[in-house]
Amino acid sequence: MEVALLSFTPEPELIVAAAARLSTSSISAGELRQNLSAEQVNSLLERLLSSGHLSPFEHASFTFALDGISRVTSHQLVRHRLASYTQQSQRFVSFNELNFVTPATIVAKENLKAKYGELIRASHELYRQMLDEGIPAEDARYVLPSAVETKLVMTMNARELMHACSLRLCQKAQWEIVELFERIKAEVTKVAPRIGAELKPKCYQLGYCDERESCGLLPTRKER
Amino acid sequence: MEVALLSFTPEPELIVAAAARLSTSSISAGELRQNLSAEQVNSLLERLLSSGHLSPFEHASFTFALDGISRVTSHQLVRHRLASYTQQSQRFVSFNELNFVTPATIVAKENLKAKYGELIRASHELYRQMLDEGIPAEDARYVLPSAVETKLVMTMNARELMHACSLRLCQKAQWEIVELFERIKAEVTKVAPRIGAELKPKCYQLGYCDERESCGLLPTRKER
Amino acid sequence: MEVALLSFTPEPELIVAAAARLSTSSISAGELRQNLSAEQVNSLLERLLSSGHLSPFEHASFTFALDGISRVTSHQLVRHRLASYTQQSQRFVSFNELNFVTPATIVAKENLKAKYGELIRASHELYRQMLDEGIPAEDARYVLPSAVETKLVMTMNARELMHACSLRLCQKAQWEIVELFERIKAEVTKVAPRIGAELKPKCYQLGYCDERESCGLLPTRKER
Amino acid sequence: MEVALLSFTPEPELIVAAAARLSTSSISAGELRQNLSAEQVNSLLERLLSSGHLSPFEHASFTFALDGISRVTSHQLVRHRLASYTQQSQRFVSFNELNFVTPATIVAKENLKAKYGELIRASHELYRQMLDEGIPAEDARYVLPSAVETKLVMTMNARELMHACSLRLCQKAQWEIVELFERIKAEVTKVAPRIGAELKPKCYQLGYCDERESCGLLPTRKER
């Protein structure tokens, strides 16, 4: 899996702070970005975060190139509707090389890992044969397993990143999408450390775990 | 594939017309639904459609139970973000029975069809074996092909149905999702014939085909 | 202010429960609504609510006719983007009668209340004069105060109603929109009591008040 | 009215082209931005535009500071739901200075213009008096006319900008919001000329005017 930050709103935290500043002052729009010290930016962000007024975080967007995630994970990912996705098409691209993801639980069992690899290779062979015999790529791909890798460009704003991470950094989410969002968090943190710090599982916000069983980080509501 | 209309806004066309009526009259909200004859409803809908003022169509929602579509198609479907989806989980449900979709192009070639069926059955066997050996369902499913069937409940309003159909009833869309939206259109038409009639490929609205090559229904912009 | 439930997804709680049921069982889509007892519906709803898995609540929609709210409140209301609105147009409807909202704080001061009424009447007179002299309604209305009443048809699904109420039933929201959502809650409760019960300010979910100062219902995070 | 481009996705057209490129090639995500010549960017954008595949344009976002628009226009603006807004609050900011918009049709009539100005000044005086007598700003503002100026920070992606302009650059939209989007178009054009060129009224896309009466630019469907 590869996660690269392809582009983002320059000075993302400053832009969020400038928008927040507009909302409760009579400053002119032209002056919004001016004379905002790092301390003021921080203090404006803290105020927004502590009061749950998250809408100004929508003004900062992050665009990622995501490579080498399984179709299992891309299917989960695009369920986050407040974001933009461009995915490599299995209709228009035919796959000469075979790249696929193997879950660690399967890697751990030699016999299963071997069978898993064989079966996926057999799928790819049949896929290639079908292409050779004139089946369109969009149909041949029905035989490809969910394990095969895909690529996406994804744009998500900081508010939605917080929301998506609240769900996907929870240890009850599936390991592959947890890893994906951990890498996303790492990329955001490099360019927007305060926003990056806010990308965390929902239990931090709630103060308890709302899953049936806790991963151990925080107790469930009943256990508190 | 099975498409059932699970629920919908009662009298959907009346509700759209009542909302449209509010927008340009001084009628009280309490009287909105009253004294609206079938002719008035029709004439209000025609006015909205001919002028492209489609937002009142958002007040009518349709909820479908979709059964027996492939993961290929469910992945395409959930890309329509202005709708609500609940999908059968491959994380929490383990699949004892194997149901899968076979594209017609593959059915047409005896030798490929046989191999395709074998390979999918082999995937399912390995899936079952992995479950037996303690692999969690969420990991074992990586080996399942995109052809396996899934189920969803989907709610979409009439405006978004028009938009989704403009793309997915185009003959350049993949055959399985075309069939899905043809069935959706048939279900909507039973209870809201005027809305159903408006579920059609984008070329009808544009007056030409904007794909590279036309399916023959309407000429491309260049060919006109 | 008048709030009427114009339409809604029939049996809203059953539909939510049926969708939830699909997600973790291998039941066929056709059987989804069948054999769901009132107890099962309740227990499915409780499970969703306690674990914060709210997406199935999107399948139940509610359409309201809202009458006699000020433009102050309609401007706040349409900021909730995951909903559908049709508003009476001030561009195409000219207002012969004058209806306006007076805040209780102004009603309480005799002298201000009188001046307030006079000024609004003077605005309306100038508005009428401008229309008589050929100014288009869309321009004449610039002189109308934010107090003048407007009407809307609004459709919101149960999940977004929960979210909007979490913000707008908070006593820190403005009194007029608090009243609006209290009436909305009352209407929903009549036809979907369990969903209605879940329409409540955000502090109930958080377990504390995240505003700077608490209204007294729950202590702030610091005060806890 | 002032429209300033506060921030935007750097190299917006390159990012859109890079995303488009991913969708139909087997290039790795890391190479997406590389070796994309200006000609390739242009040709990728043209292909997207001519075929109506607009989703990659969502990856480029533009953030504007909008100053000096009336509450009439801000109310229309925020109806575009696929965008992010932070608006100066009339609840928490009290207005010492009075700035307001006067429609040209009113400016043109000396007598009305004078009365209009007087009435708005009288509203502001009463507003100030109410504040002095302890009425909260959020209530005193009910007397303020729709003409008073407001400020917003708005973020919209390029796809939604195209959609909003298709409606708001139509001469049937209200003059103030037409002017607003003309200025937005001018700002976008400076940094993304190809995208800027695509911000145009809906008739260009349709090939005809779908309003009841044409402004003269293109004939209605009947007149063709």
Side-chain angles (χ1 to χ4, degrees):
Chain A
M1 184 189 305
E2 248 184 273
V3 172
L5 185 54
L6 203 59
S7 187
F8 62 98
T9 309
E11 300 182 277
E13 299 185 347
L14 177 68
I15 292 298
V16 172
R21 193 188 198 189
L22 175 80
S23 130
T24 54
S25 80
S26 55
I27 196 171
S28 89
E31 299 164 313
L32 270 185
R33 293 182 59 153
Q34 291 159 15
N35 310 319
L36 257 179
S37 68
E39 284 78 37
Q40 278 176 298
V41 168
N42 276 339
S43 124
L44 282 158
L45 295 187
E46 292 311 327
R47 212 165 66 192
L48 294 173
L49 289 166
S50 70
S51 63
H53 293 156
L54 301 181
S55 63
F57 286 94
E58 296 178 20
H59 298 297
S61 268
F62 298 84
T63 301
F64 303 92
L66 312 177
D67 209 340
I69 61 172
S70 71
R71 299 271 299 183
V72 165
T73 293
S74 74
H75 201 329
Q76 289 177 353
L77 180 63
V78 301
R79 298 296 300 276
H80 294 286
R81 289 162 290 183
L82 303 180
S84 301
Y85 306 94
T86 305
Q87 185 164 6
Q88 189 183 33
S89 172
Q90 284 188 334
R91 296 186 69 197
F92 302 118
V93 181
S94 38
F95 296 86
N96 297 311
E97 279 174 67
L98 177 69
N99 293 300
F100 61 93
V101 172
T102 311
T105 54
I106 296 174
V107 172
K109 302 218 171 184
E110 238 1 284
N111 68 318
L112 292 179
K113 186 189 161 199
K115 285 191 177 181
Y116 179 89
E118 270 162 46
L119 205 133
I120 291 178
R121 268 181 295 276
S123 306
H124 189 244
E125 257 163 58
L126 179 53
Y127 168 80
R128 298 291 322 159
Q129 185 192 346
M130 290 198 284
L131 292 186
D132 288 345
E133 299 199 19
I135 304 293
E138 69 173 25
D139 285 349
R141 60 138 161 193
Y142 275 66
V143 83
L144 293 176
S146 300
V148 298
E149 291 184 2
T150 185
K151 307 167 201 224
L152 295 101
V153 171
M154 171 181 93
T155 298
M156 213 178 247
N157 69 44
R159 184 188 195 177
E160 183 62 13
L161 277 171
M162 289 181 203
H163 175 70
C165 284
S166 80
L167 300 173
R168 303 300 192 176
L169 292 180
C170 169
Q171 294 303 315
K172 298 290 164 141
Q174 193 159 3
W175 57 272
E176 195 184 351
I177 203 163
V178 174
E179 184 185 334
L180 176 65
F181 276 99
E182 278 168 353
R183 286 169 187 255
I184 285 172
K185 175 186 168 85
E187 289 301 308
V188 171
T189 302
K190 286 179 201 165
V191 299
R194 186 60 194 90
I195 291 171
E198 212 56 32
L199 304 181
K200 49 193 186 191
K202 60 189 169 169
C203 53
Y204 279 96
Q205 173 69 9
L206 291 171
Y208 60 87
C209 167
D210 69 353
E211 296 289 327
R212 285 205 214 174
E213 232 175 295
S214 168
C215 69
L217 193 59
L218 285 177
T220 64
R221 217 194 292 230
K222 278 184 193 162
E223 291 164 2
R224 271 199 302 187
Chain B
M1 183 189 304
E2 247 185 274
V3 172
L5 185 55
L6 205 58
S7 187
F8 62 98
T9 310
E11 298 183 279
E13 299 185 347
L14 177 69
I15 292 299
V16 172
R21 193 187 197 189
L22 175 81
S23 129
T24 53
S25 79
S26 56
I27 196 170
S28 89
E31 299 163 313
L32 269 186
R33 293 183 58 153
Q34 290 159 16
N35 309 320
L36 256 180
S37 68
E39 284 78 35
Q40 277 176 298
V41 168
N42 276 339
S43 123
L44 282 159
L45 295 187
E46 292 310 327
R47 214 165 65 193
L48 295 173
L49 289 166
S50 69
S51 62
H53 294 157
L54 302 181
S55 63
F57 286 94
E58 297 177 20
H59 298 297
S61 269
F62 298 83
T63 301
F64 303 92
L66 311 178
D67 210 339
I69 62 171
S70 71
R71 297 273 297 183
V72 166
T73 293
S74 74
H75 202 327
Q76 290 177 354
L77 180 63
V78 300
R79 298 295 300 277
H80 294 285
R81 290 163 289 183
L82 302 179
S84 301
Y85 306 94
T86 306
Q87 184 164 8
Q88 188 183 33
S89 173
Q90 284 189 334
R91 296 186 68 198
F92 302 118
V93 180
S94 38
F95 296 86
N96 296 311
E97 278 175 67
L98 176 69
N99 293 301
F100 61 94
V101 172
T102 310
T105 54
I106 296 174
V107 171
K109 301 218 173 185
E110 239 357 289
N111 68 320
L112 294 179
K113 186 188 163 200
K115 285 191 176 180
Y116 180 89
E118 272 162 44
L119 205 134
I120 291 178
R121 268 182 296 275
S123 307
H124 189 244
E125 258 164 56
L126 179 53
Y127 169 81
R128 298 291 322 159
Q129 186 193 344
M130 292 198 284
L131 293 187
D132 288 346
E133 298 198 22
I135 304 293
E138 68 173 24
D139 285 349
R141 61 141 160 189
Y142 274 66
V143 83
L144 293 177
S146 299
V148 298
E149 289 186 2
T150 184
K151 305 166 202 226
L152 295 102
V153 171
M154 171 181 92
T155 298
M156 212 178 249
N157 69 44
R159 185 188 193 177
E160 183 62 12
L161 277 170
M162 287 181 206
H163 176 70
C165 284
S166 80
L167 300 173
R168 302 303 191 174
L169 291 181
C170 168
Q171 293 303 315
K172 298 290 163 142
Q174 193 159 3
W175 57 272
E176 194 183 352
I177 203 163
V178 174
E179 184 183 335
L180 176 64
F181 276 99
E182 279 169 352
R183 286 169 187 257
I184 285 172
K185 176 187 168 82
E187 288 303 306
V188 171
T189 302
K190 285 179 200 163
V191 300
R194 185 61 193 92
I195 291 171
E198 213 56 30
L199 304 181
K200 50 193 185 191
K202 57 188 170 167
C203 54
Y204 279 98
Q205 173 68 9
L206 291 171
Y208 60 88
C209 168
D210 69 353
E211 296 289 328
R212 285 206 214 171
E213 232 176 294
S214 168
C215 70
L217 193 59
L218 284 178
T220 64
R221 218 195 290 229
K222 278 185 194 163
E223 292 165 358
R224 271 200 304 187
Chain C
M1 183 190 302
E2 247 184 275
V3 171
L5 186 54
L6 204 58
S7 187
F8 62 99
T9 308
E11 300 183 278
E13 300 185 347
L14 176 69
I15 292 299
V16 172
R21 192 189 200 190
L22 175 80
S23 129
T24 53
S25 80
S26 56
I27 195 170
S28 89
E31 300 164 313
L32 270 184
R33 294 182 58 154
Q34 291 159 15
N35 311 320
L36 257 180
S37 68
E39 284 77 37
Q40 279 176 298
V41 168
N42 276 339
S43 125
L44 282 158
L45 296 186
E46 291 312 326
R47 213 165 66 190
L48 294 173
L49 289 166
S50 71
S51 62
H53 293 157
L54 302 181
S55 63
F57 286 94
E58 297 177 21
H59 297 296
S61 269
F62 298 83
T63 301
F64 302 93
L66 312 177
D67 210 339
I69 61 171
S70 71
R71 297 271 299 182
V72 165
T73 293
S74 74
H75 202 330
Q76 290 178 353
L77 180 63
V78 299
R79 297 296 300 276
H80 294 286
R81 288 163 290 183
L82 302 180
S84 301
Y85 305 95
T86 305
Q87 185 164 8
Q88 188 182 36
S89 171
Q90 284 188 335
R91 296 185 70 197
F92 302 118
V93 181
S94 37
F95 295 85
N96 297 311
E97 278 174 67
L98 178 68
N99 294 299
F100 60 94
V101 171
T102 310
T105 54
I106 296 174
V107 172
K109 301 219 172 182
E110 237 0 286
N111 68 320
L112 292 179
K113 185 191 163 199
K115 284 190 177 180
Y116 180 89
E118 271 162 44
L119 205 132
I120 289 177
R121 268 182 295 274
S123 306
H124 190 243
E125 258 165 54
L126 179 53
Y127 169 80
R128 298 291 321 160
Q129 186 192 344
M130 291 198 286
L131 292 187
D132 288 346
E133 298 198 20
I135 304 294
E138 68 173 24
D139 285 348
R141 61 138 161 194
Y142 274 67
V143 83
L144 293 177
S146 299
V148 298
E149 291 185 2
T150 185
K151 305 167 203 224
L152 294 102
V153 171
M154 172 181 92
T155 298
M156 214 178 246
N157 69 44
R159 184 187 194 178
E160 183 62 12
L161 278 170
M162 287 179 203
H163 176 70
C165 285
S166 80
L167 301 172
R168 303 302 192 176
L169 291 181
C170 169
Q171 294 303 313
K172 298 290 164 140
Q174 192 158 2
W175 57 273
E176 194 183 351
I177 203 164
V178 174
E179 184 185 334
L180 176 64
F181 277 99
E182 280 169 351
R183 286 169 188 256
I184 285 172
K185 176 187 168 83
E187 289 302 308
V188 171
T189 302
K190 285 179 201 166
V191 299
R194 186 61 193 90
I195 291 172
E198 213 55 31
L199 304 181
K200 50 194 185 190
K202 58 189 168 169
C203 54
Y204 279 96
Q205 172 70 6
L206 291 170
Y208 60 87
C209 168
D210 69 353
E211 296 288 328
R212 285 207 213 171
E213 233 175 293
S214 168
C215 70
L217 193 59
L218 285 178
T220 64
R221 218 193 292 226
K222 279 184 194 163
E223 292 164 0
R224 273 200 302 187
Chain D
M1 182 191 303
E2 248 185 273
V3 171
L5 186 55
L6 205 59
S7 187
F8 62 99
T9 309
E11 301 183 276
E13 299 185 347
L14 177 68
I15 292 299
V16 172
R21 194 188 197 188
L22 175 79
S23 129
T24 54
S25 79
S26 56
I27 196 170
S28 89
E31 301 163 312
L32 269 186
R33 292 183 59 154
Q34 290 158 15
N35 309 321
L36 256 181
S37 68
E39 284 77 39
Q40 278 176 298
V41 169
N42 276 339
S43 123
L44 282 158
L45 296 186
E46 293 310 326
R47 213 166 65 193
L48 294 173
L49 289 166
S50 70
S51 62
H53 294 158
L54 302 180
S55 63
F57 286 94
E58 297 178 21
H59 298 297
S61 268
F62 298 84
T63 301
F64 303 92
L66 311 177
D67 209 339
I69 61 171
S70 70
R71 299 272 298 183
V72 165
T73 294
S74 74
H75 202 327
Q76 289 177 354
L77 181 63
V78 300
R79 297 296 300 277
H80 293 286
R81 289 163 290 183
L82 302 180
S84 300
Y85 306 94
T86 305
Q87 185 164 8
Q88 188 183 34
S89 171
Q90 285 189 333
R91 297 186 67 197
F92 302 117
V93 180
S94 38
F95 296 85
N96 297 312
E97 278 175 67
L98 178 68
N99 293 301
F100 61 93
V101 172
T102 311
T105 54
I106 296 175
V107 172
K109 302 217 172 182
E110 241 355 290
N111 67 319
L112 292 180
K113 186 190 163 199
K115 285 191 176 179
Y116 180 89
E118 272 163 44
L119 205 134
I120 289 177
R121 269 181 294 275
S123 306
H124 189 244
E125 258 165 56
L126 178 54
Y127 170 81
R128 298 291 321 158
Q129 187 192 343
M130 292 197 286
L131 293 187
D132 288 345
E133 298 197 22
I135 303 293
E138 68 171 26
D139 285 350
R141 60 138 161 192
Y142 275 67
V143 82
L144 292 176
S146 300
V148 299
E149 289 185 2
T150 185
K151 304 166 204 227
L152 296 103
V153 171
M154 171 180 93
T155 298
M156 213 178 248
N157 68 44
R159 185 189 194 176
E160 183 62 11
L161 277 171
M162 288 180 205
H163 176 69
C165 285
S166 79
L167 300 173
R168 302 303 190 174
L169 291 181
C170 168
Q171 294 304 315
K172 298 290 163 143
Q174 193 159 3
W175 56 273
E176 195 184 352
I177 202 163
V178 174
E179 185 184 333
L180 176 65
F181 276 98
E182 278 169 353
R183 286 169 187 256
I184 285 171
K185 175 187 169 82
E187 289 302 308
V188 171
T189 302
K190 285 179 202 165
V191 300
R194 186 62 194 89
I195 291 171
E198 214 55 32
L199 305 180
K200 49 194 186 190
K202 59 187 169 170
C203 52
Y204 279 96
Q205 172 69 9
L206 291 171
Y208 59 87
C209 167
D210 70 352
E211 296 289 327
R212 284 207 214 172
E213 232 175 295
S214 168
C215 70
L217 194 58
L218 283 179
T220 63
R221 216 192 293 227
K222 278 184 193 162
E223 290 164 2
R224 273 200 300 187

